[in-house]
Amino acid sequence: MEKFKAFCIFLSFLFTFLLFMSILSLFLVPNPSEIISSLKTEEMIYSLKLSIATSLASTVLVILFSIPVGYALSRHDFIGKSIVKSILDLPMAFPELVLGLALLLLFGQSFIGKFLESFGIKIVFTKIGIVIAQFFTALPYAVRVIYSTFEGINPRYEFVSRSLGYGELETFFRISLPLAKNGLFASTIITFARCMGAFGAVLILAGGSYMNTEILPITLYLNISYGNLGMAITSGILLIIISFIAILIFEKFEGVNSSNFKKVESIRN
Amino acid sequence: MSKLSYLEVKNISIELGEFKLKDINLKVKKGDYLTIIGPTGSGKSILLETIAGFYKPKLGKIYLAGEDITNLPPEKRKMSIVYQDYMLFPHMTAFENIAYGLKKKIKSKEEIEKRIKEICEILNITHILKRNVKTLSGGEQQRVALARALVIEPEVLLLDEPFSALDVKTKENLRNLVKKAVKEYGTTVIHITHDFEDVWSLADRVAVMKGGGILQEGSVEEIFYKPSVNFVAEFVGTNVLKGEVIGKDENGLTLIKVGDTVVKSVDMGNGDVLISIRPEDVVVFYGEKRCKVKNIRRRGEVVEITLDLGGETLRSLLTPNMLKTLNVEDEVSISVDPNSVRIIKSLKQKISYKN
């Protein structure tokens, strides 16, 4: 075998081995009874529930927003389109902490925050803040996946539907959306996984306070700072399991539509 | 707008990225079958999609039955479209695809089923209605797409290279079905193609497009026998030759000297003229040796030979069995039916041969 080829394959194995060992150590290092007792603590249950609830809420919001945005970016030419695209992509390259800081300033200091507050809606250091932070972290990914899904659908399907008497909106719901089904599913999974794992932005905007705005990544962070390794590892395991399930669901449908999977992969890399 | 033109495209200009149409004018009578031919990138599909209302023209108007439809959305134009790659909705069965447009038009389920049955019998697809469209062959998919477009009884049926992806036999079969269906429904058709078979077997009229404009529009006869511009002649494969009218024969046919050969034409003319001859109308035989075979090229089922008439080049189509004894550099004679020799243009002054 050529030396370079052998070297590349060796590296892939080495990396996979290290990654696998690190995940495995998460499950092997702690004492099982400690994990079980950690799981049963009020804090862990609270954190898990809050994580799932906020992630579900933000996923729904993200998808509702990114479908029209992705569709508009794919189908329509409008003034400022390239600017919209670049700005939407920004948070992907942005450190999450900076995104959190930016959101904190927007909702805390600016007129928008004050305007919302006049209606009694508080965002900073609240559970709504968690959802907002997750929303902004995950939105760019969802928009990208949905955008490339619509890009992959020949607009002539829509033309045919229009010519057969269906208006713009009817065509969107009867043709475009059903054809984008797989991509929408993929982006939902990605979005949910991103929301579950969102940390930096949530910490800054929602505060990461004990048993109030505490989601799983925050639990991990808080407990590692107290030196409470059992609790930290348990929340880590929970996060791993959730992303594992997400990947499994994703892989299962990968066979149905591998092109979308590739799109998502290329976006994530 | 004249009463005769049913669909009229007036001075349409549009720009879409690399493609553009400039100042397109087109008139189609009710029940006419118009084919649009032209090289790739000439703007044929854009024109069709602009007529359908998917693109808004920058300039110009489109009229249907006297009504200005330029700003009407596609769903209100009563035109349906069939594409080369079928565009059947993959999340629906063949039946659901065909019923899609009808459901919008009529509510009665029995009526929908009755109409679908009718069109499916014409197109011979009754047996595949329950199938998932992804499992159908190309020919079957295109018949479903045609049924879907025809069943709503559109004012105008737009066909965008509908047979290009199909094999020769399926193409032939589909052409016959389209002919039958269009006749049955009295549909006005605009059909884009690059296959001259479509033109000969289906069209009443032909428009030739190049670079976003229409170069010539006319009857099939006119386009193929009297191409107005060199490009059209070249594109449709017609020989355009320079000749000189030298008199009339005893039957009143015009005698035209082309190089060293004399051909007869039914058309009148005098002096120097441009004439057109379809390559398939040229008969080659061993007789007086006046023309030299310059080149022999196999083109599918026929062979194209290039002849030198003494300054003028003439292409002729032969069947391969005629070729067994024919070689390059051989000298042969030609004969062309006077009906197939058309005078396109009189050239006022004596022309000098360029080559």
Side-chain angles (χ1 to χ4, degrees):
Chain A
M1 206 191 310
E2 298 92 337
K3 274 184 190 141
F4 182 64
K5 184 178 167 191
F7 174 70
C8 294
I9 293 175
F10 167 73
L11 268 192
S12 340
F13 271 110
L14 181 70
F15 177 71
T16 316
F17 175 73
L18 287 176
L19 186 68
F20 180 72
M21 283 310 286
S22 65
I23 296 172
L24 202 65
S25 59
L26 197 65
F27 288 88
L28 293 181
V29 170
N31 179 339
S33 62
E34 202 181 354
I35 302 237
I36 301 216
S37 63
S38 299
L39 266 179
K40 285 180 179 160
T41 58
E42 208 187 330
E43 183 189 354
M44 191 58 72
I45 291 166
Y46 181 89
S47 171
L48 180 63
K49 275 186 184 164
L50 186 62
S51 270
I52 291 175
T54 52
S55 297
L56 282 177
S58 2
T59 302
V60 171
L61 286 177
V62 165
I63 297 300
L64 283 182
F65 262 81
S66 43
I67 289 174
V69 173
Y71 187 75
L73 289 178
S74 154
R75 287 291 187 267
H76 303 299
D77 275 321
F78 48 89
I79 300 162
K81 177 173 166 176
S82 55
I83 301 173
V84 169
K85 264 173 102 172
S86 321
I87 293 181
L88 275 173
D89 282 349
L90 258 184
M92 286 202 277
F94 239 48
E96 249 196 74
L97 280 169
V98 180
L99 177 66
L101 184 62
L103 290 173
L104 180 68
L105 294 176
L106 178 71
F107 289 109
Q109 304 287 315
S110 78
F111 68 95
I112 295 182
K114 296 201 172 80
F115 176 75
L116 288 172
E117 211 156 311
S118 67
F119 289 98
I121 302 170
K122 274 190 153 182
I123 295 197
V124 176
F125 304 145
T126 64
K127 294 184 181 65
I128 300 176
I130 301 178
V131 174
I132 298 281
Q134 289 172 337
F135 177 84
F136 279 93
T137 318
L139 185 75
Y141 293 87
V143 169
R144 279 295 278 275
V145 180
I146 291 176
Y147 165 76
S148 48
T149 302
F150 283 126
E151 281 289 281
I153 298 171
N154 194 330
R156 285 180 170 171
Y157 284 116
E158 289 155 14
F159 288 174
V160 169
S161 166
R162 294 290 295 276
S163 74
L164 292 172
Y166 289 82
E168 221 182 344
L169 204 63
E170 285 171 306
T171 295
F172 179 75
F173 283 108
R174 284 168 187 269
I175 304 298
S176 321
L177 268 192
L179 292 185
K181 195 177 68 193
N182 289 337
L184 295 181
F185 187 65
S187 68
T188 308
I189 302 278
I190 291 288
T191 304
F192 185 74
R194 284 292 310 165
C195 291
M196 285 299 291
F199 169 66
V202 177
L203 182 70
I204 305 281
L205 186 65
S209 58
Y210 174 76
M211 296 280 280
N212 176 25
T213 55
E214 185 179 351
I215 56 171
L216 285 174
I218 305 277
T219 309
L220 195 155
Y221 169 74
L222 289 177
N223 282 288
I224 215 103
S225 5
Y226 310 151
N228 194 348
L229 202 59
M231 283 292 281
I233 290 175
T234 310
S235 43
I237 288 175
L238 283 175
L239 281 169
I240 286 280
I241 290 173
I242 289 164
S243 34
F244 207 75
I245 293 171
I247 288 293
L248 275 183
I249 299 173
F250 202 85
E251 298 266 309
K252 199 183 164 203
F253 112 103
E254 186 217 329
V256 184
N257 192 341
S258 59
S259 61
N260 270 325
F261 183 72
K262 276 181 204 128
K263 273 172 212 150
V264 173
E265 283 291 281
S266 63
I267 289 162
R268 285 160 97 203
N269 294 337
Chain B
M1 197 192 115
S2 74
K3 265 187 180 169
L4 284 173
S5 49
Y6 178 60
L7 175 75
E8 184 174 0
V9 174
K10 220 173 178 179
N11 309 325
I12 285 288
S13 291
I14 188 170
E15 256 174 74
L16 283 167
E18 299 150 41
F19 293 103
K20 55 180 165 195
L21 300 178
K22 38 186 194 222
D23 208 23
I24 298 270
N25 285 289
L26 209 57
K27 284 180 185 175
V28 187
K29 278 185 271 179
K30 192 166 176 69
D32 252 5
Y33 199 115
L34 170 76
T35 48
I36 300 178
I37 54 178
T40 316
S42 57
K44 295 169 291 180
S45 292
I46 303 281
L47 174 60
L48 208 65
E49 291 182 338
T50 306
I51 293 173
F54 306 142
Y55 302 118
K56 281 256 150 21
K58 205 168 72 180
L59 287 170
K61 295 266 181 219
I62 302 170
Y63 299 94
L64 181 69
E67 189 197 344
D68 181 356
I69 58 162
T70 319
N71 292 312
L72 222 54
E75 60 268 25
K76 299 235 163 75
R77 295 196 180 195
K78 297 172 195 145
M79 298 183 187
S80 51
I81 190 160
V82 175
Y83 286 107
Q84 176 184 344
D85 30 11
Y86 329 123
M87 290 295 137
L88 293 179
F89 305 131
H91 57 300
M92 299 179 191
T93 63
F95 180 89
E96 286 165 340
N97 263 283
I98 302 170
Y100 185 77
L102 262 190
K103 273 197 218 147
K104 188 79 193 171
K105 259 181 96 180
I106 40 182
K107 292 285 159 263
S108 152
K109 244 186 157 178
E110 293 86 60
E111 181 64 21
I112 290 178
E113 276 178 24
K114 197 186 124 222
R115 292 214 197 166
I116 291 180
K117 203 173 156 239
E118 268 169 31
I119 185 75
C120 290
E121 266 161 24
I122 297 175
L123 293 173
N124 199 8
I125 44 173
T126 316
H127 57 292
I128 55 168
L129 283 179
K130 287 191 184 121
R131 298 254 300 272
N132 180 333
V133 291
K134 281 175 247 170
T135 66
L136 301 177
S137 72
E140 288 169 333
Q141 289 197 49
Q142 199 54 300
R143 277 184 281 163
V144 173
L146 279 166
R148 177 176 71 180
L150 275 167
V151 78
I152 60 165
E153 296 174 23
E155 302 288 333
V156 182
L157 175 67
L158 306 168
L159 306 174
D160 190 353
E161 302 200 11
F163 312 135
S164 298
L166 307 170
D167 61 83
V168 180
K169 229 181 148 183
T170 315
K171 254 183 215 180
E172 194 50 52
N173 178 24
L174 265 182
R175 266 187 212 115
N176 291 333
L177 290 176
V178 165
K179 208 173 197 167
K180 203 165 96 187
V182 165
K183 205 174 160 197
E184 191 100 0
Y185 287 86
T187 316
T188 309
V189 185
I190 303 180
H191 178 161
I192 288 176
T193 183
H194 54 244
D195 190 340
F196 296 139
E197 285 289 330
D198 291 341
V199 181
W200 288 319
S201 56
L202 294 166
D204 306 313
R205 300 194 66 79
V206 188
V208 183
M209 277 186 85
K210 191 200 175 194
I214 290 179
L215 296 182
Q216 189 180 0
E217 200 258 323
S219 67
V220 180
E221 169 91 349
E222 276 168 341
I223 297 291
F224 281 86
Y225 286 93
K226 293 192 149 192
S228 65
V229 239
N230 278 340
F231 172 76
V232 176
E234 202 180 299
F235 188 73
V236 300
T238 301
N239 289 296
V240 175
L241 309 167
K242 289 167 190 135
E244 189 191 351
V245 177
I246 51 170
K248 280 192 182 221
D249 75 351
E250 64 276 16
N251 298 320
L253 296 168
T254 311
L255 293 167
I256 305 162
K257 186 167 180 287
V258 181
D260 301 331
T261 305
V262 175
V263 292
K264 296 174 183 177
S265 169
V266 288
D267 287 346
M268 311 290 247
N270 52 57
D272 285 334
V273 287
L274 276 186
I275 61 164
S276 78
I277 299 171
R278 292 290 306 162
E280 60 272 23
D281 291 335
V282 178
V283 178
V284 174
F285 61 98
Y286 293 100
E288 283 178 86
K289 295 183 169 136
R290 289 171 184 274
C291 320
K292 201 178 224 173
V293 179
K294 302 271 280 183
N295 191 22
I296 300 176
R297 194 160 67 102
R298 177 102 202 209
R299 286 179 58 182
E301 291 156 9
V302 291
V303 177
E304 184 189 275
I305 66 166
T306 313
L307 299 165
D308 182 3
L309 271 55
E312 288 292 311
T313 306
L314 178 76
R315 280 170 301 108
S316 160
L317 292 180
L318 306 177
T319 50
N321 64 351
M322 279 202 60
L323 265 182
K324 283 185 187 138
T325 54
L326 197 65
N327 291 305
V328 175
E329 296 293 309
D330 278 1
E331 295 201 335
V332 291
S333 205
I334 57 156
S335 139
V336 191
D337 183 330
N339 285 304
S340 303
V341 178
R342 309 300 303 267
I343 296 175
I344 329 175
K345 215 192 235 173
S346 286
L347 300 166
K348 289 274 159 3
Q349 62 265 67
K350 284 264 180 194
I351 34 147
S352 55
Y353 294 115
K354 270 183 190 148
N355 296 320

